[in-house]
Amino acid sequence: MRWALVKVCLAVTAMVVIAFAVPLGLVIREMASDRAFSDAERQAAMIAPALSITTDREELTRAVLSTEPGDRGRLAVHVPAPEKTADGTEGEALDIGTRRASPKDVATVRKAGRASITEVTDGFALLQPTALSTGDIAVVEVFVPEGEVSNGVATAWLILAGVGVALIVGSVAVADRLGVRMVQPAQRLAGAAQDLGEGRLGTRVPEEGPTELRSAAVAFNSMADQVVQLLANERELAADLSHRLRTPLTVLRLNAASLGEGPAADQTRAAVEQLEHEVDTIIRTAREQRPQTQGIQTGAGAGCDASEVIRERMGFWSALAEDEGREVRLAGVDRTVRIPVARPELAAALDALLGNVFRHTPEGTAFAVDVHHSGDAVIVLVSDAGPGITDPEAALARGTTNPGTVGSTGLGLDIVRRVAESTGGDLRIGRSVLGGTEVRIWIGLHGTSPDRGRRGHGRRVARRFGRRRPKEPRTTAGPATSGPS
């Protein structure tokens, strides 16, 4: 494309140069010729006064030699012989100066009575008729060398040729630069498309160059971002779905622990542990491979009744809590609370938090779920009376496993955080007044975070427990240190 543009520009410029330079060169040659013959006419007119006064040879010879062309041998005067002299004899024709034109040409000019230019050896001869006092016609001959006729023409042609070459070179250089300006963005776009096809998803194209190529670069970058986002969502879904399997796995593990001793019980517990290991591997693999994404995609118009979803999930976990002797309190779900979160996403977030309570606190540890509606936000608090989280900031970091925690992938709290941030809210971890961990989910109803100065709400949960210490656990279902999964 680049060389094609250069060739086209070269051909067009050459045609333009030829179209203008050739006629201009011809005009310059004609101007030089006209200038030379005009000077010859002026020189011929210098001898006319002498011819109008006398036809004496000596006088005319002195007059011819007194002029510059006569002195240089370029001027001649041809006076015809008079028909009869005063004594009745015929006169003699006079030829003064260096003669170059033929007698025939001189006679033709004398007979026609108008100037003529004839070609002679090494140049041209201007024949100018001049009337004598006797009524006869004399002819003044001025020799014009060939060099004077073409004087300056070669220089002018060289100048025109130089200007033409300069124009051609300049146009080729400009065309080359324009070609580079057009070709390089196109080459970058083609290379980026090839890189993206080979799996290098971070490839982007600089948005520069002509308008059309700049628009193509913008479209390519947008497409690449969409591809990355789609892959991220796909891997996010794989990780989230795998994490949701941990909820029934927790139930299986706890049930397997109560099977007692025997080969069947040992095989069941080993199978549950192997399944948990495989699920954790899937979660970690998906988390390591996917790029970071922003928020959670809930879809246009997605939403649910938070109270209904919380009641449903608490009904599921209450059976397991009863088996482990855990006291459960639920508040704030007696009326409909619509939130802009899809039902499966809210259920997954609650299962992640409640699963953490069962996995990382001893049996018999009490917990509570409290829902508060404040007009522009919904606050969900999940509190427990366990040992708490040693480093809340590290627990909130994406992919951070709490030190000393077994079987934690760091993805559970991230699921909850993304649900909150998708609505303009956030997630906080603090110390519960029950003595353990308090996880506060701020869900914005209008895309804005609620007022975070209302810190006394979580304390109302403690009053429902009478600020009593949780009873001692019967068995230890997890490590002593609470940590999020």
Side-chain angles (χ1 to χ4, degrees):
M1 179 179 179
R2 173 183 174 185
W3 293 114
L5 181 62
V6 171
K7 290 179 181 178
V8 170
C9 186
L10 176 62
V12 172
T13 306
M15 292 176 60
V16 171
V17 169
I18 292 174
F20 281 92
V22 171
L24 187 58
L26 296 176
V27 169
I28 291 175
R29 189 178 67 177
E30 291 296 328
M31 291 177 60
S33 177
D34 292 343
R35 182 179 65 250
F37 289 115
S38 296
D39 291 341
E41 291 178 356
R42 179 179 54 80
Q43 294 168 3
M46 295 173 60
I47 200 66
L51 289 172
S52 63
I53 297 174
T54 181
T55 59
D56 182 70
R57 178 182 291 274
E58 295 181 359
E59 294 293 333
L60 291 177
T61 301
R62 283 196 296 268
V64 169
L65 294 177
S66 65
T67 62
E68 179 184 357
D71 186 57
R72 298 171 62 182
R74 295 181 180 181
L75 181 63
V77 176
H78 308 288
V79 180
E83 294 183 359
K84 291 183 179 181
T85 60
D87 56 359
T89 61
E90 293 184 356
E92 181 184 3
L94 300 178
D95 289 320
I96 302 172
T98 304
R99 182 187 185 121
R100 290 181 175 84
S102 65
K104 182 179 178 180
D105 292 333
V106 173
T108 301
V109 171
R110 180 180 292 119
K111 183 177 181 180
R114 59 177 179 270
S116 175
I117 299 174
T118 182
E119 188 174 354
V120 298
T121 304
D122 297 332
F124 300 88
L126 173 66
L127 302 178
Q128 179 70 43
T130 303
L132 300 176
S133 59
T134 59
D136 294 328
I137 300 297
V139 177
V140 179
E141 177 187 341
V142 179
F143 173 68
V144 180
E146 188 175 0
E148 291 188 2
V149 175
S150 60
N151 184 27
V153 175
T155 302
W157 274 89
L158 288 176
I159 293 175
L160 287 176
V163 171
V165 172
L167 288 176
I168 292 175
V169 172
S171 65
V172 169
V174 172
D176 182 70
R177 291 298 90 197
L178 291 176
V180 169
R181 185 170 178 265
M182 294 178 62
V183 170
Q184 284 185 347
Q187 291 176 340
R188 285 196 294 265
L189 185 60
Q194 184 176 0
D195 292 342
L196 186 65
E198 293 175 355
R200 291 186 280 274
L201 302 181
T203 301
R204 295 297 181 271
V205 181
E207 298 174 2
E208 58 188 18
T211 304
E212 295 77 8
L213 291 176
R214 189 162 56 246
S215 300
V218 172
F220 176 86
N221 292 338
S222 177
M223 178 195 67
D225 293 338
Q226 289 293 330
V227 170
V228 172
Q229 184 66 34
L230 290 174
L231 290 176
N233 291 342
E234 190 173 316
R235 290 166 180 164
E236 192 81 26
L237 179 61
D240 290 351
L241 291 177
S242 301
H243 191 275
R244 292 178 190 181
L245 293 176
R246 302 189 64 178
T247 298
L249 283 177
T250 301
V251 179
L252 290 175
R253 181 174 57 83
L254 296 175
N255 289 339
S258 62
L259 294 178
E261 301 297 333
D266 293 340
Q267 291 177 1
T268 302
R269 284 189 287 269
V272 171
E273 290 178 0
Q274 179 65 24
L275 186 57
E276 279 189 313
H277 174 73
E278 295 296 336
V279 170
D280 290 345
T281 301
I282 294 174
I283 293 174
R284 290 191 179 94
T285 302
R287 183 186 62 200
E288 291 171 358
Q289 291 181 350
R290 70 168 172 262
Q292 297 291 331
T293 57
Q294 296 181 349
I296 187 171
Q297 304 298 324
T298 59
C304 67
D305 179 6
S307 298
E308 179 184 356
V309 176
I310 293 174
R311 287 195 302 266
E312 176 186 336
R313 301 317 300 162
M314 286 299 293
F316 172 81
W317 288 99
S318 294
L320 184 59
E322 184 178 354
D323 292 341
E324 293 191 357
R326 297 176 184 268
E327 185 176 355
V328 181
R329 301 299 295 268
L330 179 63
V333 293
D334 52 347
R335 64 190 183 99
T336 300
V337 180
R338 297 293 302 181
I339 60 174
V341 177
R343 183 186 186 92
E345 304 301 337
L346 179 60
L350 290 172
D351 286 342
L353 294 179
L354 296 176
N356 282 342
V357 173
F358 281 87
R359 288 175 60 86
H360 303 298
T361 61
E363 291 185 8
T365 301
F367 66 93
V369 177
D370 192 7
V371 180
H372 177 71
H373 187 203
S374 62
D376 60 349
V378 172
I379 307 168
V380 179
L381 287 86
V382 178
S383 308
D384 64 64
I389 298 177
T390 56
D391 191 351
E393 292 185 2
L396 286 175
R398 178 72 170 169
T400 299
T401 301
N402 197 34
T405 302
V406 178
S408 175
T409 63
L411 185 61
L413 287 178
D414 186 70
I415 294 175
V416 182
R417 178 184 59 80
R418 289 188 295 109
V419 168
E421 290 181 352
S422 68
T423 65
D426 66 358
L427 174 68
R428 288 191 176 187
I429 298 178
R431 192 71 178 176
S432 169
V433 293
L434 299 179
T437 302
E438 178 185 76
V439 180
R440 289 183 285 181
I441 312 172
W442 303 80
I443 301 176
L445 300 182
H446 308 293
T448 56
S449 298
D451 181 11
R452 302 179 185 179
R454 305 167 64 181
R455 301 181 179 273
H457 179 73
R459 297 188 178 92
R460 293 198 293 272
V461 179
R463 298 192 187 102
R464 295 187 177 93
F465 289 94
R467 292 185 181 276
R468 59 181 175 85
R469 297 288 298 173
K471 61 185 179 180
E472 293 298 326
R474 296 192 302 271
T475 59
T476 301
T481 302
S482 176
S485 64

